[in-house]
Amino acid sequence: MLFRRGIEIKNRTQLGYMRQAALVVNQIHEAVWQTAKAGVTPREIDEISAQIIADNNAKSNFLGYYDYPATICISVNDTVVHGIPDSIPFEVGDLVSFDCGCYLEKDGKQWHGDSAFSVIIGEEPAPKPAPSISAHSYPTSSKKEQLLEITRRSTWAGVAAMARPRARVNDIGAAIEDEVDAFAETSGWTAGIVEEFTGHGIGTAMHQPPDVFNFRAAGRSAAIKPGMVLCVEPILTCGSNQVTTLADGWTVKTIDHSLACHWEAQVAVLEEGICVLNQPDCGEDALAPFGVKPVRI
Ligand code: MF3
Ligand code: CO
């Protein structure tokens, strides 16, 4: 395995393994999307996720990670990230993020998938394609819908920045912040960008260098090079960007109890361009508005 400034560089075969793992995670997203509605509990969704992982001969990378007690993270309303699935049924209007992951074992190593999306809970699952696989724009009449939309859009803006010539890792956060600022111009309010959590490199472990900031960070970061795989995962709020971790050691909440939203895409860099590993279409649909055409692997 090659490393470049501490960043793991994957060959084509290894990127193929990561694509497989990321598509298992996409299967989880699809199942969650079709299941999540009022009355369903986070624990039920966690069990469905565990079953899909088992059916694909994959393993959970969340379960047991620093003793994390579940297969996915489900973060409701003012929970920002790392919500532990519980038995409290979803209610209409809940803003919920589903952060999912797994790994496959190939050539004696683990190849990790990790991605997330958010939805607003209704009486029934929404009929349109899962937002994780679509460029579909949300209605943005309420602040909650606007938060969902800007979180989704800023994710794709960050991913698109990876495709620019001579891109560096910190260009991702700059693009996310710019997208948040541009959205503020039209909506009249500015989403808070949570700074405590960052995106990350991913490969034979779930969390690897580099940190991928969600804001414009100073300093000269690593160049984005073929063979790198990065998770881009903005976490935005309707209010303060300050967060606190509960006594369970996991659940992260906004201090002002404002709504939070989270999205995560897993992106490989190839000689010919980028590929969003967790999207069946490699991100083509979602990146089109940004003028980026991903490569298929
Ligand atoms: N998936 C999260 C991330 O995006 C990490 C989850 S850690 C866990 O980086 F322990 F909760 F699984
Ligand atoms: Co992640």
Side-chain angles (χ1 to χ4, degrees), residues 99 114-115 198-200 206-207 231 233 262 264:
D99 189 352
D114 174 20
S115 52
T198 67
H200 50 92
M206 175 164 57
H207 290 145
C231 287
E233 50 177 321
H262 175 214
E264 179 173 19

Side-chain angles (χ1 to χ4, degrees), residues 25-36 45 49 72-76 80-81 95-101 114-121 126 128-134 138 148 151-152 155-156 232-234 260-265 278-279:
V25 180
N26 178 265
Q27 268 188 53
I28 301 173
H29 285 191
E30 284 296 323
V32 169
W33 178 257
Q34 282 164 33
T35 311
I45 303 262
S49 307
I72 68 174
C73 299
I74 301 181
S75 304
V76 182
V80 178
V81 285
L95 173 57
V96 185
S97 92
F98 298 92
D99 189 352
C100 312
D114 174 20
S115 52
F117 73 104
S118 294
V119 296
I120 296 170
I121 298 292
K128 60 184 177 254
S132 56
I133 60 155
S134 144
Y138 266 75
L148 190 81
T151 311
R152 187 188 68 80
T155 305
W156 295 115
V232 177
E233 50 177 321
C261 192
H262 175 214
W263 225 275
E264 179 173 19
N278 60 291
Q279 303 283 84

Side-chain angles (χ1 to χ4, degrees), residues 65-80:
Y65 184 80
Y66 293 97
D67 293 329
Y68 184 72
T71 301
I72 68 174
C73 299
I74 301 181
S75 304
V76 182
N77 295 330
D78 67 339
T79 299
V80 178

